Amino acid sequence: MSTVKKTLTPHLPRQKRREVVENDEFAAFARRIIRAHGRRVATGDVEALRDLTALSADLDQAISEAVIGLRAFDYSWAEIGSRLGISRQAAQQRWGDRP
């Protein structure tokens, strides 16, 4: 007769909030890259237009992941909404239903 061992997933402690490092510079870099991509398409690279529009979906996904991550660090909807210039209710309605 074999015995079945049950494996319990240990509760992992919440991670500490990361110290803000170079986010302004990193965001500025990302904006420059996206604008450069737009200028490249504008010079006649019509094949790259689809890639440029796909960045919009990628950006939406990145924002969702960021909000979910901030919630995991116990940031409130009010704090998140404040940073986005929207109400806490609007932030919760937009991103609150996601796992």
Side-chain angles (χ1 to χ4, degrees):
M1 213 163 119
S2 67
T3 59
V4 177
K5 291 184 180 180
K6 292 184 180 180
T7 305
L8 298 177
T9 304
H11 177 68
L12 300 175
R14 290 194 183 262
Q15 295 176 338
K16 293 182 180 179
R17 293 180 182 187
R18 283 187 55 200
E19 194 173 316
V20 176
V21 182
E22 73 185 24
N23 281 344
D24 292 339
E25 293 88 358
F26 190 77
F29 171 72
R31 283 191 294 273
R32 286 193 305 272
I33 295 296
I34 292 167
R35 289 180 189 138
H37 195 352
R39 288 190 299 273
R40 184 179 189 142
V41 172
T43 63
D45 188 1
V46 71
E47 296 303 321
L49 184 58
R50 185 177 335 156
D51 293 333
L52 185 61
T53 57
L55 287 173
S56 177
D58 292 339
L59 185 56
D60 286 342
Q61 180 62 35
I63 293 168
S64 294
E65 289 173 10
V67 170
I68 290 166
L70 290 171
R71 290 289 295 152
F73 279 104
D74 294 327
Y75 282 92
S76 70
W77 287 115
E79 289 174 296
I80 292 168
S82 171
R83 298 320 190 278
L84 296 172
I86 60 177
S87 69
R88 81 171 167 77
Q89 293 91 345
Q92 189 172 15
Q93 285 175 350
R94 181 158 181 190
W95 293 287
D97 295 345
R98 301 179 187 199

